[in-house]
Amino acid sequence: VPELPEVETTCRGVAPHVCGRRLLAVQVHERRLRWPVDPALPDWARGQVVQAVRRRAKYLMLDLERGSLMLHLGMSGSLRVMPAGSTRLTHDHLELLLESGQVLRFNDPRRFGSLHHLLPGEEALHPLLRDLGPEPLGEDFHGEALFAATRRRRVAIKPLIMNSHVVVGVGNIYASEALFHARLRPGRAAVSLRREDCHRLATAVKQVLGRAIEAGGTTLRDYVNADGTPGYFRQKLFVYERAGEPCRDCGATIKQRVQAQRSTYYCPACQR
Ligand SMILES: [Zn+2]
């Protein structure tokens, strides 16, 4: 599953190929994605110049002249930039034909991805976006905001930081790793965290995501593959999927348990 760092990496990889380019056509070969692609979308998008590419949560936003395209990679989606005449692969469901002679192809075997178009002003109101919390790497997410969020809910800290109303894009891997670096047990009641714990955790979230983006960003060229080289394969993991192995800091055995239907990993000595 593409996590936030992979989406960010895809965003940065795609941007130089599409920014400033006119869309000659949007071809929809399979409209039955997670949500059906609006049949009006290709006509709406055609002829518009891509002004910017950015990420919001795990959505890739292509800002056009009269609104935005909003793409979600789903469970198995990836984007490739190819010469327009090159052979289309099975599961290449969407193609954005660019004036440059290149084509941006969206491949998605499991079809959990989606493509929407938004008019100016619709972004803040869109049902998929309007309830999202702050970006983890943005300035609206910080220790004080997290401390405030932990006062309200009687849940464990790990599901709380994975809750997109609190902060977006913190998946299982990054939540587990951030909690290790903040020295907090995943099962701790959120409300039991002190202010300084929340500051440490917010910093750790930013650091693990930031490092994963840097790691992923080094691998991109013309071929942009969101799930080919995830950032977390290129950085040292401290607890995630390391059950039974020694802690890299103290040597204690890393433990695994199931929490909110997800596997979670922690060091019983380092994390309290
Ligand atoms: Zn340890």
Side-chain angles (χ1 to χ4, degrees):
V1 178
E3 296 266 4
L4 183 143
E6 286 75 59
V7 180
E8 177 67 27
T9 296
T10 299
C11 186
R12 293 180 186 185
V14 161
H17 301 282
V18 301
C19 285
R21 308 289 190 191
R22 191 175 300 279
L23 290 179
L24 297 183
V26 175
Q27 291 169 344
V28 180
H29 302 292
E30 173 58 85
R31 60 183 294 270
R32 293 168 301 167
L33 302 180
R34 178 161 191 181
W35 289 280
V37 179
D38 186 336
L41 187 149
D43 279 345
W44 175 84
R46 185 170 49 230
Q48 295 196 58
V49 174
V50 180
Q51 313 282 308
V53 181
R54 64 194 159 86
R55 181 186 57 72
R56 171 65 177 125
K58 287 179 18 178
Y59 293 95
L60 199 102
M61 312 293 293
L62 272 71
D63 292 332
L64 308 181
E65 293 161 283
R66 297 191 299 276
S68 306
L69 291 174
M70 175 173 94
L71 179 76
H72 197 285
L73 300 174
M75 308 286 281
S76 59
S78 62
L79 282 172
R80 284 160 17 256
V81 179
M82 312 282 286
S86 57
T87 309
R88 192 158 60 87
L89 305 177
T90 315
H91 310 301
D92 276 349
H93 302 314
L94 306 170
E95 293 188 281
L96 274 63
L97 212 65
L98 301 157
E99 205 176 22
S100 61
Q102 288 185 307
V103 60
L104 183 65
R105 290 205 174 109
F106 177 62
N107 189 282
D108 187 6
R110 295 181 64 184
R111 291 194 277 121
F112 278 103
S114 61
L115 180 70
H116 291 85
H117 64 297
L118 308 177
L119 302 178
E122 283 185 347
E123 188 170 331
L125 307 168
H126 195 279
L128 295 171
L129 302 174
R130 67 184 173 211
D131 297 325
L132 294 178
E135 286 290 327
L137 296 165
E139 52 189 37
D140 291 341
F141 177 67
H142 45 69
E144 281 307 303
L146 184 57
F147 183 64
T150 59
R151 299 307 94 183
R152 288 183 228 126
R153 291 183 184 83
R154 249 196 100 69
V155 294
I157 186 60
K158 182 162 174 263
L160 184 120
I161 59 167
M162 291 178 68
N163 180 338
S164 65
H165 300 292
V166 174
V167 57
V168 299
V170 183
N172 200 23
I173 300 163
Y174 300 105
S176 302
E177 291 293 306
L179 284 161
F180 174 79
H181 291 293
R183 299 294 190 251
L184 295 166
R185 287 230 186 158
R188 273 275 295 273
V191 74
S192 77
L193 267 61
R194 296 162 302 168
R195 176 171 263 116
E196 56 266 37
D197 296 327
C198 293
H199 279 264
R200 247 181 12 258
L201 181 54
T203 301
V205 164
K206 288 174 190 285
Q207 282 173 344
V208 295
L209 290 171
R211 278 200 293 267
I213 290 166
E214 279 172 37
T218 60
T219 62
L220 282 166
R221 288 201 184 86
D222 290 348
Y223 184 88
V224 177
N225 191 339
D227 55 7
T229 331
Y232 58 83
F233 284 143
R234 311 192 131 254
Q235 69 175 321
K236 191 188 260 186
L237 295 176
F238 284 80
V239 288
Y240 187 76
E241 290 191 337
R242 294 196 66 240
E245 293 177 45
C247 172
R248 296 192 198 278
D249 273 11
C250 76
T253 303
I254 301 298
K255 293 205 153 152
Q256 175 181 8
R257 55 175 283 225
V258 174
Q259 183 185 21
Q261 292 89 49
R262 306 297 297 272
S263 274
T264 197
Y265 305 86
Y266 63 97
C267 172
C270 290
Q271 291 172 261
R272 296 284 165 186

